[in-house]
Amino acid sequence: TRFEFVCIGSFEPVKGHRYLISACERLMMRGVAFTCHLVGDGPQRKEIERQIGHCGLTDVVVLHGAKTRKEVARLVARSDAAVLASAPTRSGKREGIPVALMEAMSAGLPVVASRTGGIPELVNHEQSGFLVTPGDSAALADALERLALDASLRERMGRAGRETILREFDQERCAADLVGLIQRW
């Protein structure tokens, strides 16, 4: 069966799409059967489209453009994993805690993401997913390949990620904590 993974994020340098496309090229050369779904729009979209074509990935990397929350939820529901190849930019722009990863984890998907910004607070390496060095396409490909080849690993990591989100990032609880802080202040 094909390994389906999704990347939700605007096409801007901080999201690291070019590293993800390079990782996809490696996966294809290794003979991994996969489809990468890119959701979002932004200034780098044309550049990423050209890279996809140049790497011969037009059959396996699908550009969905901007989607509604409901459409994104449907795509996440039929995916095996989520990926975000974030990399700090030259101007110093960094990733916070990406909502797209939180949503994928709450849906029970294992994630592959960069060890940058707030991501390590969210993803527990080798528990709920894999953290890789920003800009390391080989490490991205290795992590995606491990998930592609091991359904029980995907299942275990997906469950752990969902538990993390429910335990630590539950909106009602966060809101209640915030109200408590404000009241004490």
Side-chain angles (χ1 to χ4, degrees):
T1 59
R2 278 188 103 63
F3 176 58
E4 308 256 341
F5 57 95
V6 62
C7 172
I8 301 156
S10 55
F11 284 80
E12 52 185 294
V14 74
K15 296 297 181 184
H17 285 90
R18 65 194 177 113
Y19 306 114
L20 176 57
I21 301 309
S22 295
C24 287
E25 186 179 22
R26 289 170 188 265
L27 288 176
M28 193 172 70
M29 292 187 320
R30 294 176 189 177
V32 176
F34 73 93
T35 304
C36 172
H37 299 277
L38 300 180
V39 178
D41 218 334
Q44 281 197 315
R45 181 173 171 153
K46 286 272 179 269
E47 188 182 318
I48 297 304
E49 274 182 65
R50 277 195 299 277
Q51 186 186 0
I52 290 166
H54 176 77
C55 294
L57 297 169
T58 49
D59 292 341
V60 292
V61 178
V62 183
L63 284 150
H64 292 273
K67 292 278 178 209
T68 65
R69 287 185 67 80
K70 193 174 259 174
E71 289 168 326
V72 170
R74 269 200 298 272
L75 192 55
V76 165
R78 63 167 226 250
S79 295
D80 298 305
V83 62
L84 198 56
S86 311
T89 65
R90 277 196 286 279
S91 66
K93 186 168 183 185
R94 286 185 159 332
E95 191 70 80
I97 296 182
V99 173
L101 280 185
M102 291 174 78
E103 290 177 345
M105 288 169 70
S106 73
L109 292 189
V111 298
V112 175
S114 302
R115 190 180 279 107
T116 183
I119 294 172
E121 293 171 46
L122 184 65
V123 181
N124 190 344
H125 182 58
E126 300 217 336
Q127 298 298 310
S128 55
F130 294 110
L131 291 173
V132 300
T133 303
D136 189 342
S137 297
L140 273 172
D142 292 345
L144 286 164
E145 185 174 19
R146 277 185 67 187
L147 289 174
L149 300 176
D150 191 341
S152 68
L153 178 67
R154 292 196 304 267
E155 173 91 18
R156 192 171 69 247
M157 286 184 159
R159 215 174 22 251
R162 183 168 163 72
E163 286 165 10
T164 297
I165 297 298
L166 293 175
R167 188 176 60 246
E168 296 176 30
F169 294 92
D170 179 60
Q171 280 184 322
E172 283 84 4
R173 224 207 60 242
C174 287
D177 289 352
L178 188 59
V179 169
L181 282 173
I182 292 166
Q183 286 169 343
R184 283 198 300 278
W185 193 69

